[in-house]
Amino acid sequence: MLAVELRVFEVFGLLMNLYETWFCGTRLWRWVTRRQLLPWVLQGSELGEHLLELGAGPGAATEELGRLTARVTSLEYDHAFAAKLGARVNGSNATVIQGDAAALPFADGTFSSAIAILMLHHLRSNELQDRAFAEIWRVLRPSGAFLAFEIQDGWLHRVAHIRSTFVPVAPAPALPRLTAAGFSNVTVDMKRGGFRIRAMR
Ligand SMILES: C[S@@+](CC[C@H](N)C(=O)[O-])C[C@H]1O[C@@H](n2cnc3c(N)ncnc32)[C@H](O)[C@@H]1O
């Protein structure tokens, strides 16, 4: 009986995971990202002329970010997502690169700002997240802003990531972790459904 229950839980997790992948590509998520999420995450921050987007996925934020800055470089780990988004934004001011946020293929001080929407919890350990923080600090120019949006730990999010990665970034420790990576003026703001991080290089 327990085995059957575990199997049902696993299948549910797989469906939730497919749902997450599918949902991030929907027009609804793109609308929510453009109208609600980005205005809140970007509030009071200067993007400068070259923004790094980390974990772009199907690109819910990419075109809108391209409207807000002169140039966007979107990094995505998944080859299929990267290829599809690259084909879509090709010819615009956005460039898509397949790569890993914990080992950024860019020279020091390349970007005026960086943003990661729902990407950090997909890094497989706290160590990889800290490596990503250090890498983001390295590729930002002095005074460049790093902005992120994340979800908190909870059973629904855990189930949704059963066949995926879910290493939640806890809001309170984010401050010392980003400070250890070299960032200053780190702020974390909570909202129903998630929280935003702002840290300055
Ligand atoms: C939940 S999706 C969010 C996608 C998009 N930011 C959005 O809000 O719709 C997380 C994305 O991060 C990508 N990702 C996971 N690990 C990564 C890594 N190490 N480097 C870059 N991207 C990564 C995943 O492939 C996935 O597309």
Side-chain angles (χ1 to χ4, degrees), residues 55-137:
T62 308
E63 278 109 336
E64 181 64 9
L65 293 171
R67 275 187 278 277
L68 300 172
T69 183
R71 189 174 167 203
V72 181
T73 295
S74 296
L75 184 94
E76 169 53 45
Y77 190 74
D78 182 274
H79 285 266
F81 275 152
K84 204 167 169 195
L85 181 59
R88 192 173 91 214
V89 301
N90 210 1
S92 72
N93 62 345
T95 308
V96 181
I97 289 177
Q98 191 282 324
D100 182 357
L104 293 174
F106 308 112
D108 298 1
T110 302
F111 300 97
S112 53
S113 56
I115 189 166
I117 306 284
L118 296 174
M119 188 282 295
L120 294 170
H121 68 261
H122 278 277
L123 299 176
R124 285 188 313 278
S125 65
N126 282 338
E127 289 69 32
L128 282 175
Q129 291 169 351
D130 288 340
R131 209 180 294 169
F133 293 152
E135 279 290 85
I136 294 164
W137 187 89

Side-chain angles (χ1 to χ4, degrees), residues 106-193:
F106 308 112
D108 298 1
T110 302
F111 300 97
S112 53
S113 56
I115 189 166
I117 306 284
L118 296 174
M119 188 282 295
L120 294 170
H121 68 261
H122 278 277
L123 299 176
R124 285 188 313 278
S125 65
N126 282 338
E127 289 69 32
L128 282 175
Q129 291 169 351
D130 288 340
R131 209 180 294 169
F133 293 152
E135 279 290 85
I136 294 164
W137 187 89
R138 181 182 67 75
V139 302
L140 278 174
R141 297 177 201 146
S143 302
F146 169 50
L147 308 165
F149 178 77
E150 271 304 317
I151 43 177
Q152 291 210 61
D153 199 0
W155 72 268
L156 190 61
H157 292 314
R158 287 196 174 261
V159 171
H161 292 84
I162 279 174
R163 289 287 185 99
S164 169
T165 305
F166 185 55
V167 181
V169 177
L175 199 151
R177 291 175 70 189
L178 283 155
T179 306
F183 286 97
S184 58
N185 299 325
V186 182
T187 55
V188 177
D189 300 297
M190 311 299 296
K191 199 177 190 163
R192 218 175 66 159

